[in-house]
Amino acid sequence: FSTQNGIFEGTTKNISSSGAFIMSKKAFEVGQILTLTLQDKNGENVKIKGQIVWTNDEGFGLKFMSVN
């Protein structure tokens, strides 16, 4: 995923149509906007814009805003 501050790696632990939980060693703030890049079932990259809605010691909850 990427933010205005750079490109980062994380592990998607839980995903639904409205959001995801991303495990990350980097701390982020509630309200930050980021772009998550995932591969679809055909191996094509899909970019999803989202907003961080909560954080904990393991990562953050992301609410999806748009899919490109």
Side-chain angles (χ1 to χ4, degrees), residues 55-67:
T55 65
N56 67 20
D57 291 340
E58 294 181 350
F60 55 87
L62 183 70
K63 179 180 178 183
F64 298 148
M65 299 168 62
S66 65
V67 177

Side-chain angles (χ1 to χ4, degrees), residues 1 3 20 22 26-34 49-56 59-65:
F1 58 92
T3 69
I22 311 292
K26 172 95 169 105
F28 294 93
E29 294 182 22
V30 171
Q32 270 188 282
I33 305 295
L34 59 83
K49 189 175 194 180
Q51 182 173 30
I52 297 174
V53 292
W54 59 267
T55 65
N56 67 20
F60 55 87
L62 183 70
K63 179 180 178 183
F64 298 148
M65 299 168 62

Side-chain angles (χ1 to χ4, degrees), residues 2-68:
S2 63
T3 69
Q4 65 270 24
N5 297 327
I7 297 173
F8 305 92
E9 290 187 10
T11 303
T12 304
K13 292 296 287 184
N14 196 352
I15 191 166
S16 71
S17 61
S18 61
F21 171 63
I22 311 292
M23 289 182 67
S24 175
K25 294 178 182 177
K26 172 95 169 105
F28 294 93
E29 294 182 22
V30 171
Q32 270 188 282
I33 305 295
L34 59 83
T35 302
L36 180 66
T37 303
L38 301 172
Q39 286 188 343
D40 67 13
K41 61 184 177 182
N42 299 318
E44 299 290 325
N45 284 342
V46 177
K47 292 187 178 194
I48 303 170
K49 189 175 194 180
Q51 182 173 30
I52 297 174
V53 292
W54 59 267
T55 65
N56 67 20
D57 291 340
E58 294 181 350
F60 55 87
L62 183 70
K63 179 180 178 183
F64 298 148
M65 299 168 62
S66 65
V67 177
N68 297 333

